[in-house]
Amino acid sequence: MTATLAAPSKTRRVVFPFTAIVGQDEMKLALLLNVIDPKIGGVMIMGDRGTGKSTTIRALADLLPEIEVVANDPFNSSPSDPEMMSEEVRIRVDSQEPLSIVKKKVTMVDLPLGATEDRVCGTIDIEKALSEGVKAFEPGLLAKANRGILYVDEVNLLDDHLVDVLLDSAAGGWNTVEREGISIRHPARFVLVGSGNPEEGELRPQLLDRFGMHAEIRTVREPELRVKIVEQRTEFDQNPHPFCDQYQTEQEALQAKIVNAQNLLPQVTIDYDYRVKVSEVCAELDVDGLRGDIVTNRAAKAIAAFEGRNEVTVDDISRVIVLCLRHRLRKDPLESIDSGSKVEKVFKRVFGIVDEA
């Protein structure tokens, strides 16, 4: 007689809960704000190895609420937002053809370090296109990442041309593939998250500037916190389901908070005087271009929405300005002051904030 094994109650892969992650507040805040407003432009996370970068990003993707997509569409097309639709879906919507809609988890795409441009952008089968007269397109990772998160570990080791392609898609929201006069375009809106270790080389300033925010993370030094992190990880590895159940209420509360923030964001305003002062900080720090001003305004609005308010405060700006500007400063090899401290110093002076003794 053969024994039959009972099917597991939960078949989906268990992911470490976002709300259980200890410390690394700067990274967590930057990721949450980009999820609330993807137009912030992604996050570059620089720091030591083994500090939970990948774990945190996977946890965030798992935390996000399910999205509605058109069934069997390779681009995760939205059934209602034309900006998030593939050409084929838009034609079907215009001709009022009924769409089959399904709900799915937000996709997190991990970009392998050795990925080729074809693997990232997709390929066109020229032979099929010429012989059958159809646009035979094999979607790449950018198609899969649409409306999700694209994570590039060791982004500073990735070919500069590929980083350019990723940043262009993240900024414009579209990916265009052209081969032999045939052109195919599809939506590619995603939160771009890059991570790296500064010891392995810096990203070129022109590319670094294109990331909306820059979070720096360090290995936790306090022995008690280190012990807590190790104990948590051991407990999760041994009994993942009971461990996750402990955080279920917190996870649901945070998920609801993110959804509320996304809905509230269009109503959030930032006072004209604050906008002028943000630009004054950028000008005084000699930040090239206007990306720093735009991203700081967006991030300040996102943090206000996250906390359920429709007006930005000085405290909101204070909490995001270093994340938005530190990587845009020109590097002076003779300067000993940390770029984050420099941003903070200028911010306090411009906004008239006096340090408490």
Side-chain angles (χ1 to χ4, degrees):
M1 185 178 155
T2 52
T4 54
L5 290 171
S9 56
K10 295 177 183 176
T11 52
R12 203 161 59 80
R13 195 169 70 91
V14 186
V15 177
F16 195 87
F18 188 84
T19 50
I21 294 164
V22 175
Q24 309 302 9
D25 295 333
E26 199 174 273
M27 169 170 64
K28 289 192 289 192
L29 178 66
L31 289 168
L32 285 169
L33 297 184
N34 270 271
V35 162
I36 292 164
D37 183 4
K39 286 183 179 172
I40 286 171
V43 192
M44 180 66 192
I45 302 163
M46 285 302 247
D48 306 329
R49 286 179 291 270
T51 43
K53 296 187 284 278
S54 304
T55 301
T56 307
I57 295 149
R58 279 191 182 82
L60 178 70
D62 189 64
L63 170 77
L64 297 177
E66 290 184 329
I67 54 170
E68 284 193 339
V69 300
V70 176
N72 304 317
D73 180 81
F75 311 108
N76 300 322
S77 288
S78 162
S80 54
D81 184 353
E83 284 295 301
M84 305 277 196
M85 286 179 191
S86 66
E87 211 173 301
E88 191 187 320
V89 170
R90 196 178 292 140
I91 290 165
R92 288 170 66 190
V93 168
D94 288 344
S95 59
Q96 296 184 333
E97 195 182 311
L99 298 173
S100 175
I101 298 165
V102 293
K103 281 198 165 191
K104 68 179 282 190
K105 286 294 288 177
V106 167
T107 313
M108 180 201 153
V109 175
D110 227 323
L111 186 86
L113 203 55
T116 60
E117 191 178 342
D118 282 353
R119 176 85 181 92
V120 173
C121 301
T123 53
I124 297 171
D125 186 336
I126 299 295
E127 206 175 304
K128 194 173 180 182
L130 294 174
S131 61
E132 296 177 30
V134 292
K135 287 185 177 181
F137 180 60
E138 183 62 46
L141 294 174
L142 293 182
K144 197 178 172 189
N146 187 38
R147 301 178 71 203
I149 296 171
L150 181 63
Y151 176 49
V152 190
D153 195 11
E154 312 280 14
V155 70
N156 44 344
L157 301 181
L158 199 66
D159 179 64
D160 277 355
H161 172 64
L162 264 186
V163 178
D164 247 340
V165 167
L166 297 178
L167 289 163
D168 281 343
S169 294
W174 289 88
N175 172 44
T176 305
V177 183
E178 291 179 338
R179 298 282 185 280
E180 311 289 337
I182 296 168
S183 177
I184 286 177
R185 190 168 172 263
H186 70 77
R189 287 181 185 268
F190 48 82
V191 175
L192 179 63
V193 183
S195 70
N197 186 339
E199 290 171 12
E200 287 159 356
E202 289 284 348
L203 205 60
R204 281 196 294 125
Q206 305 92 299
L207 295 176
L208 200 52
D209 173 65
R210 302 267 300 276
F211 280 90
M213 301 176 95
H214 186 285
E216 286 183 0
I217 55 171
R218 296 280 168 264
T219 304
V220 174
R221 298 292 173 211
E222 298 82 7
E224 292 82 4
L225 266 184
R226 290 174 77 114
V227 169
K228 187 180 178 184
I229 293 165
V230 172
E231 284 175 349
Q232 270 192 332
R233 188 72 226 188
T234 307
E235 191 184 338
F236 172 77
D237 289 340
Q238 287 173 348
N239 297 298
H241 289 298
F243 180 83
C244 291
D245 289 344
Q246 295 172 45
Y247 291 91
Q248 193 57 35
T249 308
E250 286 174 61
Q251 290 278 102
E252 285 168 5
L254 182 55
Q255 189 184 82
K257 203 174 170 185
I258 291 168
V259 173
N260 290 340
Q262 289 169 334
N263 294 331
L264 179 62
L265 188 64
Q267 281 90 57
V268 179
T269 58
I270 178 164
D271 190 81
Y272 177 75
D273 286 348
Y274 291 166
R275 281 180 278 153
V276 170
K277 282 180 176 172
V278 164
S279 291
E280 205 178 311
V281 172
C282 293
E284 201 168 317
L285 289 165
D286 203 15
V287 171
D288 288 334
L290 294 172
R291 251 191 215 113
D293 311 49
I294 294 165
V295 170
T296 305
N297 281 290
R298 281 194 176 281
K301 284 182 177 181
I303 201 168
F306 183 56
E307 294 183 350
R309 291 176 282 104
N310 55 13
E311 217 165 281
V312 170
T313 65
V314 175
D315 184 54
D316 295 331
I317 299 167
S318 152
R319 285 156 69 191
V320 300
I321 199 160
V322 171
L323 286 164
C324 297
L325 299 182
R326 65 147 66 98
H327 57 303
R328 304 179 198 278
L329 305 194
R330 292 180 183 179
K331 293 270 189 291
D332 182 352
L334 301 174
E335 199 160 37
S336 57
I337 185 168
D338 167 68
S339 56
S341 307
K342 195 175 177 184
V343 172
E344 213 170 302
K345 198 176 163 188
V346 173
F347 164 78
K348 284 179 176 172
R349 186 165 68 247
V350 170
F351 278 80
I353 296 166
V354 182
D355 281 319
E356 291 174 15

